[in-house]
PDB file of all heavy atoms in Angstrom:
ATOM      1  N   GLU A  20       6.031  21.235 -10.080  1.00 98.00           N
ATOM      2  CA  GLU A  20       6.071  21.210 -11.548  1.00 98.00           C
ATOM      3  C   GLU A  20       7.434  21.784 -11.914  1.00 98.00           C
ATOM      4  O   GLU A  20       7.731  22.934 -11.596  1.00 98.00           O
ATOM      5  CB  GLU A  20       4.966  22.111 -12.113  1.00 98.00           C
ATOM      6  CG  GLU A  20       5.026  22.284 -13.620  1.00 98.00           C
ATOM      7  CD  GLU A  20       4.400  23.604 -14.100  1.00 98.00           C
ATOM      8  OE1 GLU A  20       4.573  24.648 -13.442  1.00 98.00           O
ATOM      9  OE2 GLU A  20       3.758  23.571 -15.154  1.00 98.00           O
ATOM     10  N   GLY A  21       8.294  20.980 -12.542  1.00 98.00           N
ATOM     11  CA  GLY A  21       9.623  21.480 -12.898  1.00 98.00           C
ATOM     12  C   GLY A  21       9.517  22.575 -13.941  1.00 98.00           C
ATOM     13  O   GLY A  21       8.724  22.468 -14.877  1.00 98.00           O
ATOM     14  N   GLY A  22      10.290  23.653 -13.779  1.00 97.00           N
ATOM     15  CA  GLY A  22      10.273  24.749 -14.755  1.00 97.00           C
ATOM     16  C   GLY A  22      10.838  24.264 -16.083  1.00 97.00           C
ATOM     17  O   GLY A  22      11.816  23.518 -16.097  1.00 97.00           O
ATOM     18  N   LYS A  23      10.217  24.676 -17.178  1.00 97.00           N
ATOM     19  CA  LYS A  23      10.675  24.203 -18.482  1.00 97.00           C
ATOM     20  C   LYS A  23      10.677  25.343 -19.495  1.00 97.00           C
ATOM     21  O   LYS A  23       9.636  25.902 -19.822  1.00 97.00           O
ATOM     22  CB  LYS A  23       9.767  23.060 -18.980  1.00 97.00           C
ATOM     23  CG  LYS A  23       9.872  21.822 -18.081  1.00 97.00           C
ATOM     24  CD  LYS A  23       9.077  20.658 -18.616  1.00 97.00           C
ATOM     25  CE  LYS A  23       7.601  20.852 -18.555  1.00 97.00           C
ATOM     26  NZ  LYS A  23       6.931  20.335 -17.376  1.00 97.00           N
ATOM     27  N   GLY A  24      11.904  25.640 -19.961  1.00 92.00           N
ATOM     28  CA  GLY A  24      12.016  26.653 -21.009  1.00 92.00           C
ATOM     29  C   GLY A  24      12.214  25.954 -22.335  1.00 92.00           C
ATOM     30  O   GLY A  24      12.594  24.803 -22.345  1.00 92.00           O
ATOM     31  N   VAL A  25      11.989  26.564 -23.456  1.00 93.00           N
ATOM     32  CA  VAL A  25      11.370  27.872 -23.601  1.00 93.00           C
ATOM     33  C   VAL A  25       9.857  27.691 -23.699  1.00 93.00           C
ATOM     34  O   VAL A  25       9.394  26.940 -24.559  1.00 93.00           O
ATOM     35  CB  VAL A  25      11.903  28.532 -24.906  1.00 93.00           C
ATOM     36  CG1 VAL A  25      11.115  29.753 -25.297  1.00 93.00           C
ATOM     37  CG2 VAL A  25      13.367  28.859 -24.754  1.00 93.00           C
ATOM     38  N   ALA A  27       7.686  25.997 -22.115  1.00 96.00           N
ATOM     39  CA  ALA A  27       7.069  24.684 -21.946  1.00 96.00           C
ATOM     40  C   ALA A  27       6.401  24.581 -20.571  1.00 96.00           C
ATOM     41  O   ALA A  27       5.644  23.636 -20.310  1.00 96.00           O
ATOM     42  CB  ALA A  27       8.085  23.561 -22.145  1.00 96.00           C
ATOM     43  N   SER A  46       8.468  29.370 -16.195  1.00 96.00           N
ATOM     44  CA  SER A  46       9.804  29.445 -16.764  1.00 96.00           C
ATOM     45  C   SER A  46      10.100  30.898 -17.111  1.00 96.00           C
ATOM     46  O   SER A  46       9.364  31.525 -17.870  1.00 96.00           O
ATOM     47  CB  SER A  46       9.907  28.591 -18.020  1.00 96.00           C
ATOM     48  OG  SER A  46      11.088  28.947 -18.705  1.00 96.00           O
ATOM     49  N   VAL A  48      12.759  31.743 -18.675  1.00 92.00           N
ATOM     50  CA  VAL A  48      13.738  31.671 -19.750  1.00 92.00           C
ATOM     51  C   VAL A  48      13.034  32.097 -21.035  1.00 92.00           C
ATOM     52  O   VAL A  48      12.276  31.324 -21.619  1.00 92.00           O
ATOM     53  CB  VAL A  48      14.286  30.231 -19.901  1.00 92.00           C
ATOM     54  CG1 VAL A  48      15.321  30.163 -21.007  1.00 92.00           C
ATOM     55  CG2 VAL A  48      14.871  29.740 -18.585  1.00 92.00           C
ATOM     56  N   ASN A 104      11.738  29.825 -12.624  1.00 97.00           N
ATOM     57  CA  ASN A 104      12.961  29.088 -12.942  1.00 97.00           C
ATOM     58  C   ASN A 104      13.819  29.912 -13.896  1.00 97.00           C
ATOM     59  O   ASN A 104      13.318  30.479 -14.859  1.00 97.00           O
ATOM     60  CB  ASN A 104      12.611  27.751 -13.612  1.00 97.00           C
ATOM     61  CG  ASN A 104      13.850  27.008 -14.108  1.00 97.00           C
ATOM     62  OD1 ASN A 104      14.163  27.019 -15.294  1.00 97.00           O
ATOM     63  ND2 ASN A 104      14.588  26.400 -13.204  1.00 97.00           N
ATOM     64  N   VAL A 105      15.096  29.979 -13.574  1.00 95.00           N
ATOM     65  CA  VAL A 105      16.055  30.553 -14.529  1.00 95.00           C
ATOM     66  C   VAL A 105      17.233  29.594 -14.684  1.00 95.00           C
ATOM     67  O   VAL A 105      17.513  28.781 -13.801  1.00 95.00           O
ATOM     68  CB  VAL A 105      16.602  31.934 -14.078  1.00 95.00           C
ATOM     69  CG1 VAL A 105      15.549  33.009 -14.201  1.00 95.00           C
ATOM     70  CG2 VAL A 105      17.158  31.886 -12.670  1.00 95.00           C
ATOM     71  N   LEU A 106      17.895  29.709 -15.809  1.00 93.00           N
ATOM     72  CA  LEU A 106      19.125  28.943 -16.026  1.00 93.00           C
ATOM     73  C   LEU A 106      20.280  29.885 -15.763  1.00 93.00           C
ATOM     74  O   LEU A 106      20.307  30.989 -16.311  1.00 93.00           O
ATOM     75  CB  LEU A 106      19.222  28.480 -17.475  1.00 93.00           C
ATOM     76  CG  LEU A 106      18.217  27.468 -17.964  1.00 93.00           C
ATOM     77  CD1 LEU A 106      18.481  27.163 -19.425  1.00 93.00           C
ATOM     78  CD2 LEU A 106      18.316  26.193 -17.149  1.00 93.00           C
ATOM     79  N   THR A 131      13.919  28.624  -8.609  1.00 97.00           N
ATOM     80  CA  THR A 131      14.726  27.427  -8.838  1.00 97.00           C
ATOM     81  C   THR A 131      15.747  27.766  -9.921  1.00 97.00           C
ATOM     82  O   THR A 131      15.448  28.482 -10.871  1.00 97.00           O
ATOM     83  CB  THR A 131      13.877  26.232  -9.316  1.00 97.00           C
ATOM     84  OG1 THR A 131      13.214  26.573 -10.530  1.00 97.00           O
ATOM     85  CG2 THR A 131      12.850  25.830  -8.286  1.00 97.00           C
ATOM     86  N   CYS A 132      16.938  27.257  -9.737  1.00 95.00           N
ATOM     87  CA  CYS A 132      17.979  27.638 -10.671  1.00 95.00           C
ATOM     88  C   CYS A 132      19.027  26.545 -10.773  1.00 95.00           C
ATOM     89  O   CYS A 132      19.560  26.078  -9.764  1.00 95.00           O
ATOM     90  CB  CYS A 132      18.618  28.942 -10.194  1.00 95.00           C
ATOM     91  SG  CYS A 132      19.921  29.513 -11.258  1.00 95.00           S
ATOM     92  N   GLY A 133      19.293  26.126 -11.999  1.00 90.00           N
ATOM     93  CA  GLY A 133      20.332  25.124 -12.217  1.00 90.00           C
ATOM     94  C   GLY A 133      21.173  25.503 -13.417  1.00 90.00           C
ATOM     95  O   GLY A 133      21.184  26.666 -13.809  1.00 90.00           O
ATOM     96  N   ILE A 154      19.274  23.809  -8.000  1.00 98.00           N
ATOM     97  CA  ILE A 154      19.143  22.491  -8.620  1.00 98.00           C
ATOM     98  C   ILE A 154      20.549  21.930  -8.771  1.00 98.00           C
ATOM     99  O   ILE A 154      21.392  22.534  -9.446  1.00 98.00           O
ATOM    100  CB  ILE A 154      18.470  22.589 -10.002  1.00 98.00           C
ATOM    101  CG1 ILE A 154      17.120  23.304  -9.882  1.00 98.00           C
ATOM    102  CG2 ILE A 154      18.297  21.203 -10.622  1.00 98.00           C
ATOM    103  CD1 ILE A 154      16.498  23.677 -11.223  1.00 98.00           C
ATOM    104  N   VAL A 180      16.976  20.955  -4.873  1.00 98.00           N
ATOM    105  CA  VAL A 180      16.481  20.025  -5.892  1.00 98.00           C
ATOM    106  C   VAL A 180      17.642  19.118  -6.312  1.00 98.00           C
ATOM    107  O   VAL A 180      18.695  19.604  -6.726  1.00 98.00           O
ATOM    108  CB  VAL A 180      15.937  20.777  -7.125  1.00 98.00           C
ATOM    109  CG1 VAL A 180      15.356  19.788  -8.140  1.00 98.00           C
ATOM    110  CG2 VAL A 180      14.902  21.814  -6.717  1.00 98.00           C
ATOM    111  N   GLU A 182      18.576  16.751  -9.150  1.00 98.00           N
ATOM    112  CA  GLU A 182      18.111  16.352 -10.485  1.00 98.00           C
ATOM    113  C   GLU A 182      19.016  15.250 -11.019  1.00 98.00           C
ATOM    114  O   GLU A 182      20.221  15.442 -11.169  1.00 98.00           O
ATOM    115  CB  GLU A 182      18.098  17.558 -11.420  1.00 98.00           C
ATOM    116  CG  GLU A 182      17.231  17.314 -12.630  1.00 98.00           C
ATOM    117  CD  GLU A 182      17.227  18.496 -13.578  1.00 98.00           C
ATOM    118  OE1 GLU A 182      18.317  18.885 -14.031  1.00 98.00           O
ATOM    119  OE2 GLU A 182      16.147  19.026 -13.857  1.00 98.00           O
ATOM    120  N   LYS A 186      18.828  10.851 -16.102  1.00 98.00           N
ATOM    121  CA  LYS A 186      17.447  10.502 -16.459  1.00 98.00           C
ATOM    122  C   LYS A 186      16.506  11.681 -16.705  1.00 98.00           C
ATOM    123  O   LYS A 186      15.465  11.505 -17.330  1.00 98.00           O
ATOM    124  CB  LYS A 186      16.825   9.655 -15.334  1.00 98.00           C
ATOM    125  CG  LYS A 186      17.568   8.360 -15.055  1.00 98.00           C
ATOM    126  CD  LYS A 186      17.264   7.341 -16.106  1.00 98.00           C
ATOM    127  CE  LYS A 186      17.921   6.014 -15.768  1.00 98.00           C
ATOM    128  NZ  LYS A 186      17.677   5.011 -16.772  1.00 98.00           N
ATOM    129  N   ALA A 187      16.837  12.840 -16.142  1.00 98.00           N
ATOM    130  CA  ALA A 187      15.894  13.960 -16.222  1.00 98.00           C
ATOM    131  C   ALA A 187      15.857  14.550 -17.626  1.00 98.00           C
ATOM    132  O   ALA A 187      16.846  14.489 -18.365  1.00 98.00           O
ATOM    133  CB  ALA A 187      16.289  15.042 -15.217  1.00 98.00           C
ATOM    134  N   GLY A 188      14.728  15.145 -17.979  1.00 98.00           N
ATOM    135  CA  GLY A 188      14.620  15.847 -19.251  1.00 98.00           C
ATOM    136  C   GLY A 188      15.354  17.174 -19.199  1.00 98.00           C
ATOM    137  O   GLY A 188      15.622  17.701 -18.126  1.00 98.00           O
ATOM    138  N   GLY A 189      15.671  17.741 -20.359  1.00 97.00           N
ATOM    139  CA  GLY A 189      16.344  19.038 -20.422  1.00 97.00           C
ATOM    140  C   GLY A 189      17.842  18.895 -20.195  1.00 97.00           C
ATOM    141  O   GLY A 189      18.409  17.813 -20.363  1.00 97.00           O
ATOM    142  N   HIS A 190      18.477  19.990 -19.780  1.00 97.00           N
ATOM    143  CA  HIS A 190      19.926  19.939 -19.537  1.00 97.00           C
ATOM    144  C   HIS A 190      20.233  19.091 -18.312  1.00 97.00           C
ATOM    145  O   HIS A 190      19.463  19.063 -17.356  1.00 97.00           O
ATOM    146  CB  HIS A 190      20.475  21.362 -19.352  1.00 97.00           C
ATOM    147  CG  HIS A 190      20.632  22.072 -20.656  1.00 97.00           C
ATOM    148  ND1 HIS A 190      19.884  23.176 -21.006  1.00 97.00           N
ATOM    149  CD2 HIS A 190      21.437  21.815 -21.719  1.00 97.00           C
ATOM    150  CE1 HIS A 190      20.232  23.561 -22.229  1.00 97.00           C
ATOM    151  NE2 HIS A 190      21.163  22.760 -22.686  1.00 97.00           N
ATOM    152  N   ALA A 230      14.082  15.003  -8.522  1.00 98.00           N
ATOM    153  CA  ALA A 230      13.644  15.282  -9.901  1.00 98.00           C
ATOM    154  C   ALA A 230      14.331  14.326 -10.857  1.00 98.00           C
ATOM    155  O   ALA A 230      15.500  14.002 -10.693  1.00 98.00           O
ATOM    156  CB  ALA A 230      13.984  16.729 -10.281  1.00 98.00           C
ATOM    157  N   GLY A 231      13.605  13.889 -11.854  1.00 98.00           N
ATOM    158  CA  GLY A 231      14.191  13.018 -12.881  1.00 98.00           C
ATOM    159  C   GLY A 231      13.703  11.597 -12.735  1.00 98.00           C
ATOM    160  O   GLY A 231      13.934  10.952 -11.719  1.00 98.00           O
ATOM    161  N   ASN A 232      12.970  11.126 -13.750  1.00 98.00           N
ATOM    162  CA  ASN A 232      12.534   9.734 -13.782  1.00 98.00           C
ATOM    163  C   ASN A 232      11.465   9.411 -12.745  1.00 98.00           C
ATOM    164  O   ASN A 232      11.251   8.249 -12.435  1.00 98.00           O
ATOM    165  CB  ASN A 232      13.750   8.817 -13.582  1.00 98.00           C
ATOM    166  CG  ASN A 232      13.598   7.492 -14.294  1.00 98.00           C
ATOM    167  OD1 ASN A 232      12.904   7.403 -15.311  1.00 98.00           O
ATOM    168  ND2 ASN A 232      14.222   6.461 -13.759  1.00 98.00           N
ATOM    169  N   VAL A 233      10.820  10.418 -12.201  1.00 98.00           N
ATOM    170  CA  VAL A 233       9.752  10.150 -11.231  1.00 98.00           C
ATOM    171  C   VAL A 233       8.440  10.012 -12.004  1.00 98.00           C
ATOM    172  O   VAL A 233       8.066  10.920 -12.755  1.00 98.00           O
ATOM    173  CB  VAL A 233       9.621  11.295 -10.199  1.00 98.00           C
ATOM    174  CG1 VAL A 233       8.565  10.946  -9.153  1.00 98.00           C
ATOM    175  CG2 VAL A 233      10.961  11.580  -9.536  1.00 98.00           C
ATOM    176  N   GLN A 254       9.650  16.345  -7.953  1.00 98.00           N
ATOM    177  CA  GLN A 254       9.471  17.270  -9.085  1.00 98.00           C
ATOM    178  C   GLN A 254       9.208  16.472 -10.353  1.00 98.00           C
ATOM    179  O   GLN A 254       9.910  15.505 -10.637  1.00 98.00           O
ATOM    180  CB  GLN A 254      10.724  18.129  -9.248  1.00 98.00           C
ATOM    181  CG  GLN A 254      10.754  18.969 -10.520  1.00 98.00           C
ATOM    182  CD  GLN A 254      11.714  20.138 -10.424  1.00 98.00           C
ATOM    183  OE1 GLN A 254      11.673  20.903  -9.470  1.00 98.00           O
ATOM    184  NE2 GLN A 254      12.585  20.284 -11.400  1.00 98.00           N
ATOM    185  N   PHE A 255       8.206  16.931 -11.083  1.00 98.00           N
ATOM    186  CA  PHE A 255       7.846  16.290 -12.347  1.00 98.00           C
ATOM    187  C   PHE A 255       8.106  17.262 -13.493  1.00 98.00           C
ATOM    188  O   PHE A 255       7.641  18.402 -13.437  1.00 98.00           O
ATOM    189  CB  PHE A 255       6.358  15.920 -12.350  1.00 98.00           C
ATOM    190  CG  PHE A 255       6.005  14.857 -11.342  1.00 98.00           C
ATOM    191  CD1 PHE A 255       5.806  15.189 -10.009  1.00 98.00           C
ATOM    192  CD2 PHE A 255       5.886  13.538 -11.723  1.00 98.00           C
ATOM    193  CE1 PHE A 255       5.490  14.210  -9.074  1.00 98.00           C
ATOM    194  CE2 PHE A 255       5.567  12.550 -10.790  1.00 98.00           C
ATOM    195  CZ  PHE A 255       5.376  12.889  -9.457  1.00 98.00           C
ATOM    196  N   GLY A 256       8.829  16.790 -14.480  1.00 98.00           N
ATOM    197  CA  GLY A 256       9.076  17.624 -15.651  1.00 98.00           C
ATOM    198  C   GLY A 256       8.370  17.083 -16.864  1.00 98.00           C
ATOM    199  O   GLY A 256       7.628  17.779 -17.562  1.00 98.00           O
ATOM    200  N   THR A 257       8.566  15.788 -17.111  1.00 98.00           N
ATOM    201  CA  THR A 257       8.026  15.196 -18.333  1.00 98.00           C
ATOM    202  C   THR A 257       6.519  14.946 -18.223  1.00 98.00           C
ATOM    203  O   THR A 257       5.765  15.283 -19.144  1.00 98.00           O
ATOM    204  CB  THR A 257       8.801  13.906 -18.664  1.00 98.00           C
ATOM    205  OG1 THR A 257      10.162  14.261 -18.910  1.00 98.00           O
ATOM    206  CG2 THR A 257       8.245  13.208 -19.882  1.00 98.00           C
ATOM    207  N   ARG A 258       6.067  14.394 -17.121  1.00 98.00           N
ATOM    208  CA  ARG A 258       4.626  14.063 -17.030  1.00 98.00           C
ATOM    209  C   ARG A 258       3.718  15.270 -17.259  1.00 98.00           C
ATOM    210  O   ARG A 258       2.734  15.163 -17.981  1.00 98.00           O
ATOM    211  CB  ARG A 258       4.303  13.403 -15.678  1.00 98.00           C
ATOM    212  CG  ARG A 258       4.369  11.884 -15.752  1.00 98.00           C
ATOM    213  CD  ARG A 258       3.774  11.223 -14.515  1.00 98.00           C
ATOM    214  NE  ARG A 258       2.369  10.863 -14.745  1.00 98.00           N
ATOM    215  CZ  ARG A 258       1.672  10.081 -13.926  1.00 98.00           C
ATOM    216  NH1 ARG A 258       2.216   9.584 -12.819  1.00 98.00           N
ATOM    217  NH2 ARG A 258       0.423   9.783 -14.202  1.00 98.00           N
ATOM    218  N   PRO A 259       4.019  16.429 -16.671  1.00 98.00           N
ATOM    219  CA  PRO A 259       3.107  17.566 -16.881  1.00 98.00           C
ATOM    220  C   PRO A 259       3.134  18.154 -18.293  1.00 98.00           C
ATOM    221  O   PRO A 259       2.334  19.032 -18.600  1.00 98.00           O
ATOM    222  CB  PRO A 259       3.604  18.614 -15.873  1.00 98.00           C
ATOM    223  CG  PRO A 259       4.527  17.907 -14.952  1.00 98.00           C
ATOM    224  CD  PRO A 259       5.074  16.731 -15.685  1.00 98.00           C
ATOM    225  N   LEU A 260       4.056  17.663 -19.153  1.00 98.00           N
ATOM    226  CA  LEU A 260       4.010  18.138 -20.550  1.00 98.00           C
ATOM    227  C   LEU A 260       2.696  17.741 -21.200  1.00 98.00           C
ATOM    228  O   LEU A 260       2.183  18.430 -22.080  1.00 98.00           O
ATOM    229  CB  LEU A 260       5.156  17.515 -21.368  1.00 98.00           C
ATOM    230  CG  LEU A 260       6.562  18.083 -21.185  1.00 98.00           C
ATOM    231  CD1 LEU A 260       7.576  17.216 -21.917  1.00 98.00           C
ATOM    232  CD2 LEU A 260       6.640  19.526 -21.679  1.00 98.00           C
ATOM    233  N   TRP A 271       3.354  18.075 -30.354  1.00 98.00           N
ATOM    234  CA  TRP A 271       4.367  17.640 -29.370  1.00 98.00           C
ATOM    235  C   TRP A 271       3.707  16.695 -28.361  1.00 98.00           C
ATOM    236  O   TRP A 271       4.228  15.621 -28.038  1.00 98.00           O
ATOM    237  CB  TRP A 271       4.967  18.890 -28.715  1.00 98.00           C
ATOM    238  CG  TRP A 271       6.112  18.673 -27.786  1.00 98.00           C
ATOM    239  CD1 TRP A 271       6.592  17.480 -27.310  1.00 98.00           C
ATOM    240  CD2 TRP A 271       6.953  19.694 -27.216  1.00 98.00           C
ATOM    241  NE1 TRP A 271       7.664  17.707 -26.470  1.00 98.00           N
ATOM    242  CE2 TRP A 271       7.904  19.050 -26.400  1.00 98.00           C
ATOM    243  CE3 TRP A 271       6.972  21.092 -27.303  1.00 98.00           C
ATOM    244  CZ2 TRP A 271       8.874  19.753 -25.672  1.00 98.00           C
ATOM    245  CZ3 TRP A 271       7.942  21.791 -26.588  1.00 98.00           C
ATOM    246  CH2 TRP A 271       8.885  21.129 -25.782  1.00 98.00           C
ATOM    247  N   MET A 433      13.601  18.391 -29.072  1.00 98.00           N
ATOM    248  CA  MET A 433      12.418  18.066 -28.268  1.00 98.00           C
ATOM    249  C   MET A 433      12.900  17.471 -26.950  1.00 98.00           C
ATOM    250  O   MET A 433      13.047  16.253 -26.813  1.00 98.00           O
ATOM    251  CB  MET A 433      11.589  17.053 -29.063  1.00 98.00           C
ATOM    252  CG  MET A 433      10.264  16.758 -28.493  1.00 98.00           C
ATOM    253  SD  MET A 433       9.474  15.587 -29.647  1.00 98.00           S
ATOM    254  CE  MET A 433       8.210  14.977 -28.615  1.00 98.00           C
ATOM    255  N   PHE A 434      13.142  18.334 -25.993  1.00 98.00           N
ATOM    256  CA  PHE A 434      13.590  17.867 -24.683  1.00 98.00           C
ATOM    257  C   PHE A 434      12.558  16.915 -24.073  1.00 98.00           C
ATOM    258  O   PHE A 434      11.351  17.176 -24.144  1.00 98.00           O
ATOM    259  CB  PHE A 434      13.750  19.050 -23.720  1.00 98.00           C
ATOM    260  CG  PHE A 434      15.077  19.761 -23.792  1.00 98.00           C
ATOM    261  CD1 PHE A 434      15.149  21.129 -23.504  1.00 98.00           C
ATOM    262  CD2 PHE A 434      16.245  19.081 -24.098  1.00 98.00           C
ATOM    263  CE1 PHE A 434      16.364  21.794 -23.528  1.00 98.00           C
ATOM    264  CE2 PHE A 434      17.463  19.743 -24.125  1.00 98.00           C
ATOM    265  CZ  PHE A 434      17.526  21.103 -23.844  1.00 98.00           C
ATOM    266  N   ALA A 435      13.040  15.856 -23.439  1.00 98.00           N
ATOM    267  CA  ALA A 435      12.143  14.957 -22.703  1.00 98.00           C
ATOM    268  C   ALA A 435      12.972  14.122 -21.746  1.00 98.00           C
ATOM    269  O   ALA A 435      14.163  13.872 -21.994  1.00 98.00           O
ATOM    270  CB  ALA A 435      11.390  14.049 -23.665  1.00 98.00           C
ATOM    271  N   GLY A 436      12.347  13.692 -20.669  1.00 98.00           N
ATOM    272  CA  GLY A 436      13.026  12.821 -19.726  1.00 98.00           C
ATOM    273  C   GLY A 436      13.031  11.385 -20.228  1.00 98.00           C
ATOM    274  O   GLY A 436      12.243  11.014 -21.118  1.00 98.00           O
ATOM    275  N   HIS A 437      13.895  10.560 -19.635  1.00 98.00           N
ATOM    276  CA  HIS A 437      14.058   9.185 -20.119  1.00 98.00           C
ATOM    277  C   HIS A 437      12.878   8.277 -19.766  1.00 98.00           C
ATOM    278  O   HIS A 437      12.823   7.147 -20.224  1.00 98.00           O
ATOM    279  CB  HIS A 437      15.387   8.616 -19.606  1.00 98.00           C
ATOM    280  CG  HIS A 437      16.559   9.306 -20.230  1.00 98.00           C
ATOM    281  ND1 HIS A 437      17.346   8.734 -21.193  1.00 98.00           N
ATOM    282  CD2 HIS A 437      17.032  10.566 -20.071  1.00 98.00           C
ATOM    283  CE1 HIS A 437      18.271   9.597 -21.583  1.00 98.00           C
ATOM    284  NE2 HIS A 437      18.095  10.717 -20.905  1.00 98.00           N
ATOM    285  N   ALA A 438      11.962   8.775 -18.934  1.00 98.00           N
ATOM    286  CA  ALA A 438      10.774   7.973 -18.615  1.00 98.00           C
ATOM    287  C   ALA A 438       9.612   8.282 -19.546  1.00 98.00           C
ATOM    288  O   ALA A 438       8.511   7.755 -19.371  1.00 98.00           O
ATOM    289  CB  ALA A 438      10.357   8.210 -17.166  1.00 98.00           C
TER     290      ALA A 438
HETATM  291  C1  FMN P   1      10.918  20.163 -22.234  1.00 82.72           C
HETATM  292  C2  FMN P   1      11.728  20.343 -20.974  1.00 82.72           C
HETATM  293  C3  FMN P   1      12.327  21.575 -20.727  1.00 82.72           C
HETATM  294  C4  FMN P   1      13.038  21.791 -19.541  1.00 82.72           C
HETATM  295  N1  FMN P   1      13.563  23.031 -19.298  1.00 82.72           N
HETATM  296  C5  FMN P   1      14.150  23.289 -18.108  1.00 82.72           C
HETATM  297  C6  FMN P   1      14.591  24.595 -17.778  1.00 82.72           C
HETATM  298  O1  FMN P   1      14.477  25.536 -18.571  1.00 82.72           O
HETATM  299  N2  FMN P   1      15.156  24.778 -16.559  1.00 82.72           N
HETATM  300  C7  FMN P   1      15.311  23.771 -15.661  1.00 82.72           C
HETATM  301  O2  FMN P   1      15.838  24.004 -14.569  1.00 82.72           O
HETATM  302  N3  FMN P   1      14.908  22.519 -15.944  1.00 82.72           N
HETATM  303  C8  FMN P   1      14.317  22.262 -17.131  1.00 82.72           C
HETATM  304  N4  FMN P   1      13.837  20.991 -17.390  1.00 82.72           N
HETATM  305  C9  FMN P   1      13.923  19.959 -16.338  1.00 82.72           C
HETATM  306  C10 FMN P   1      12.625  19.850 -15.533  1.00 82.72           C
HETATM  307  O3  FMN P   1      12.362  21.016 -14.805  1.00 82.72           O
HETATM  308  C11 FMN P   1      12.652  18.660 -14.546  1.00 82.72           C
HETATM  309  O4  FMN P   1      13.589  18.852 -13.539  1.00 82.72           O
HETATM  310  C12 FMN P   1      12.928  17.353 -15.226  1.00 82.72           C
HETATM  311  O5  FMN P   1      12.207  17.261 -16.419  1.00 82.72           O
HETATM  312  C13 FMN P   1      12.558  16.220 -14.280  1.00 82.72           C
HETATM  313  O6  FMN P   1      12.761  14.983 -14.851  1.00 82.72           O
HETATM  314  P1  FMN P   1      11.650  14.205 -15.730  1.00 82.72           P
HETATM  315  O7  FMN P   1      11.803  14.790 -17.100  1.00 82.72           O
HETATM  316  O8  FMN P   1      12.090  12.801 -15.666  1.00 82.72           O
HETATM  317  O9  FMN P   1      10.315  14.456 -15.139  1.00 82.72           O
HETATM  318  C14 FMN P   1      13.175  20.736 -18.590  1.00 82.72           C
HETATM  319  C15 FMN P   1      12.600  19.493 -18.878  1.00 82.72           C
HETATM  320  C16 FMN P   1      11.886  19.274 -20.039  1.00 82.72           C
HETATM  321  C17 FMN P   1      11.278  17.931 -20.296  1.00 82.72           C
END
Side-chain angles (χ1 to χ4, degrees):
E20 173 206 39
K23 295 185 291 267
V25 168
S46 166
V48 181
N104 174 258
V105 288
L106 293 179
T131 59
C132 180
I154 305 169
V180 183
E182 198 181 58
K186 300 283 184 181
H190 282 114
N232 211 28
V233 184
Q254 171 160 309
F255 294 81
T257 297
R258 267 192 95 168
L260 283 172
W271 186 351
M433 188 178 163
F434 275 150
H437 292 254

